[in-house]
Amino acid sequence: MPNLIAKPGDYKAGLRKAYDDRAEVYDIGNQDYTSRNLADISGQFVYDVKRAGRRRVLDLGCGPGHDALRFSSHGLEVLGVDLSEGMVRRARKKG
């Protein structure tokens, strides 16, 4: 039988705590991966946004801000949102 969660809030609180507790490790461990493997995709995204005459983007699940900072460095106005306050604190420290 699958594990079932009684209330959506139970899941959200557990997920938030897990990412809050691991924010620093997640940030450090994924920084190189993000830089190496997503540079082409994010570069194309920035190009497409600008070509469409836009400058503002929403980074849902921004985590520690790797993509938000990259987009911002290319002149985009970024709003980063994440369930984990720990991840958002990491992102704010960088930017």
Side-chain angles (χ1 to χ4, degrees):
M1 172 166 235
N3 242 346
L4 301 174
I5 298 166
K7 297 180 274 184
D10 294 343
Y11 172 73
K12 190 165 48 171
L15 186 62
R16 179 183 293 128
K17 181 172 179 1
Y19 277 103
D20 283 346
D21 291 349
R22 295 166 184 82
E24 182 177 1
V25 172
Y26 180 93
D27 183 15
I28 293 167
N30 286 297
Q31 196 165 13
D32 288 339
Y33 172 84
T34 302
S35 296
R36 280 193 319 268
N37 297 305
L38 301 179
D40 290 344
I41 294 169
S42 60
Q44 184 65 50
F45 175 76
V46 169
Y47 173 79
D48 290 343
V49 169
K50 288 181 175 182
R51 189 178 64 178
R54 306 290 183 175
R55 291 278 185 249
R56 298 164 85 189
V57 295
L58 175 63
D59 186 359
L60 276 177
C62 68
H66 299 152
D67 294 327
L69 289 168
R70 181 178 291 113
F71 299 152
S72 180
S73 74
H74 288 286
L76 299 180
E77 180 183 333
V78 182
L79 173 61
V81 178
D82 200 282
L83 179 66
S84 167
E85 292 176 28
M87 291 290 190
V88 172
R89 274 193 299 275
R90 299 280 308 175
R92 283 185 179 142
K93 284 181 183 178
K94 298 174 190 176

